[in-house]
Amino acid sequence: MLARPIIGIPMQTQNTSDAFWVMRKQYIDALRNAGAIPWIIPLLADDPETLREIFDRLDGLFLAGGADVSPARYGEAAKPYLGATDPERDAVETAFVRMSLDARLPIFAVCRGLQLLNVACGGSLHQDIRAEVPAAIKHDYFAADLHIRTACVHDIAVKAGTRIADIFGSASLSVNSMHHQAIKELAPNLTASAFAPDGIIEAVEAKASFAIGVQWHPEELAATEPAMRRLFEAFTAAATEGMGP
Ligand code: MN
């Protein structure tokens, strides 16, 4: 039997107390169901040596959703419409993105994860879509209603010839949407591989290695949508491939 790849997942600071680090179980389950060993990473922003030791044991990196990336990371001051930030997590995830790209370790990034990936690679973000892109459709479906997490509320157009197009085998599909920020300037080493009808970037991928990011939440749809499950499976397959004989 093939060994299962170890996928590192940096945690997030709990929004009610900085004495706790947490991670949503849906991500863990989607990765586990795709054959990965999910491995939670503590936010030891002040301990690069320990982070390096953790990194050396990983086969892939997963970046989950969460708080806004600190605008200082892309050279902007915080606007009034910026949401909560998590600077320790920004630092740890940025370090892991750099180490992963250097080592050509596969990356899969969701929502904030896509945004962090873009910023870590030199891109920037709209601090709030409504405030900065007035013509945009609604992307911030944050109702208390739990079903909103699995509601497919807008279409995306997938660019032909990209990894994501390969994974989906379809040019258009409908996705959930729980984000108030989006990519402004795309990082030079990334390609935009899917767009919302208003032009907002909904997926990216690296040019040089397996690194994909999606703006929607496939982990919420993986149980019911085979196409969303295939995203996790393609990532796990790439991580397994990198493990060597
Ligand atoms: Mn969206």
Side-chain angles (χ1 to χ4, degrees):
M1 196 182 124
L2 281 173
R4 293 161 63 191
I6 296 175
I7 303 300
I9 310 158
M11 304 173 86
Q12 63 179 324
T13 308
Q14 193 178 54
N15 56 13
T16 50
S17 164
D18 64 6
F20 292 87
W21 291 325
V22 296
M23 184 41 58
R24 189 170 170 81
K25 284 154 75 177
Q26 265 81 354
Y27 299 112
I28 312 290
D29 284 341
L31 289 164
R32 196 162 52 100
N33 291 338
I37 306 283
W39 205 280
I40 295 298
I41 298 175
L43 301 183
L44 305 173
D46 61 350
D47 188 354
E49 274 179 35
T50 301
L51 293 182
R52 181 77 221 189
E53 289 274 350
I54 293 171
F55 175 78
D56 286 343
R57 289 158 173 83
L58 301 181
D59 301 305
L61 175 68
F62 182 82
L63 301 175
D68 290 354
V69 177
S70 306
R73 291 253 160 214
Y74 47 93
E76 283 189 16
K79 307 274 173 61
Y81 40 78
L82 178 74
T85 60
D86 191 346
E88 274 185 319
R89 187 181 180 192
D90 292 346
V92 169
E93 290 185 332
T94 299
F96 273 93
V97 164
R98 291 191 178 140
M99 290 188 285
S100 298
L101 291 173
D102 279 354
R104 302 176 67 86
L105 208 71
I107 300 174
F108 183 25
V110 166
C111 199
R112 165 204 156 85
L114 161 145
Q115 296 165 4
L116 186 287
L117 174 66
N118 182 54
V119 171
C121 292
S124 67
L125 303 177
H126 291 298
Q127 291 190 34
D128 181 73
I129 297 172
R130 283 167 185 271
E132 298 189 4
V133 193
I137 60 170
K138 180 175 168 66
H139 290 270
D140 54 344
Y141 289 85
F142 294 122
D145 174 11
L146 270 180
H147 299 295
I148 206 71
R149 301 193 70 86
T150 51
C152 291
V153 290
H154 70 69
D155 288 343
I156 56 166
V158 180
K159 199 164 139 193
T162 59
R163 275 187 204 276
I164 295 233
D166 231 36
I167 291 165
F168 286 144
S170 140
S172 155
L173 66 167
S174 190
V175 297
N176 51 2
S177 192
M178 291 172 277
H179 58 111
H180 84 108
Q181 296 198 320
I183 290 175
K184 184 159 70 179
E185 288 164 279
L186 185 65
N189 62 329
L190 299 177
T191 300
S193 46
F195 298 87
D198 54 9
I200 293 288
I201 295 175
E202 288 276 339
V204 299
E205 54 195 63
K207 293 168 183 168
S209 59
F210 188 104
I212 56 177
V214 300
Q215 186 59 82
W216 68 94
H217 282 272
E219 78 285 358
E220 301 284 347
L221 304 167
T224 51
E225 299 288 336
M228 297 305 164
R229 211 145 54 224
R230 286 204 297 278
L231 277 173
F232 289 92
E233 290 166 355
F235 170 54
T236 305
T240 305
E241 210 174 292
M243 292 167 72

